[in-house]
Amino acid sequence: MKRVLILYKSKYGAAKKYAGMIKEALGGDVFDVKDFEKADLVQYDAVVFAGAIYASGISGLKVLRSKWPLLKQKRVAVFCVGASPYDEKAIREVKQNNLKDELKDIPMFYGRGAWDESAMTFKDRTLCKLLQKMISGKSEAECEPWMKALLSASGKKCDWTDPKYLEPLIAYMNR
């Protein structure tokens, strides 16, 4: 059986929640990236990194890049979390923007997270409100899936986390 390391970077809790679900499914050890020590990598056969998408960047991903020389011989996967429903085009763009160079062959999986404006930092809440305002005048036909999701979540508290999003990741890690 593989020894699995699950690293996560979570600002509002959804990536951490998924990291716990991954542990339930695969076993292994879970660490917030800020609590993980480089020397511990040698004892693991596989690594899953979970991080949220913010402005098309995956938070905390720099830990994979910085530790890549120690990870490249292991089974590695990225699970990113976002507030939007799955959209192939958007996910492809996130992968192209984040998993490049030596990380380009790492498989990336996606799960829908959560939305709670009251828990957001002032900066995040303000940016979301500005973005909502910018896209609110568009017709439904002009809106991409993430735009529709952003507009429909406004003022609501939503938790879309679901173990079903982990099924492709779990299948990959169990190969």
Side-chain angles (χ1 to χ4, degrees), residues 1 6 8 17-18 22 25-26 46 53 57 59 66 68 71 73 81 85 87 104 107 125 128 136 149 155 172 175:
M1 181 114 194
I6 303 139
Y8 71 89
K17 187 174 180 180
Y18 276 118
I22 295 166
L26 296 175
I53 300 170
S59 65
S66 70
W68 187 245
L71 293 171
Q73 300 304 317
V81 181
D87 177 54
K104 72 181 180 341
R125 190 172 46 254
C128 287
S136 65
Y172 171 78
R175 279 198 258 161

Side-chain angles (χ1 to χ4, degrees), residues 40-54:
D40 293 332
L41 272 173
V42 295
Q43 63 185 311
Y44 297 99
D45 305 302
V47 177
V48 176
F49 174 80
I53 300 170
Y54 295 105

Side-chain angles (χ1 to χ4, degrees), residues 20-117:
M21 290 183 212
I22 295 166
K23 179 183 171 127
E24 286 179 30
L26 296 175
D29 299 319
V30 178
F31 291 93
D32 184 311
V33 293
K34 69 179 186 273
D35 299 327
F36 180 70
E37 293 298 323
K38 180 180 173 181
D40 293 332
L41 272 173
V42 295
Q43 63 185 311
Y44 297 99
D45 305 302
V47 177
V48 176
F49 174 80
I53 300 170
Y54 295 105
S56 74
I58 302 172
S59 65
L61 194 61
K62 64 183 176 185
V63 73
L64 286 187
R65 195 168 305 285
S66 70
K67 298 182 187 321
W68 187 245
L70 299 168
L71 293 171
K72 62 184 173 185
Q73 300 304 317
K74 301 176 186 295
R75 180 173 287 267
V76 178
V78 171
F79 186 81
C80 56
V81 181
S84 298
Y86 182 84
D87 177 54
E88 183 69 36
K89 178 184 167 212
I91 298 305
R92 188 173 45 252
E93 288 173 8
V94 168
K95 182 168 182 170
Q96 288 171 348
N97 290 336
N98 291 273
L99 299 178
K100 43 190 161 183
D101 303 323
E102 67 270 9
L103 305 183
K104 72 181 180 341
D105 295 325
I106 297 175
M108 189 181 88
F109 303 89
Y110 179 80
R112 198 162 183 200
W115 179 269
D116 182 0
E117 292 169 12

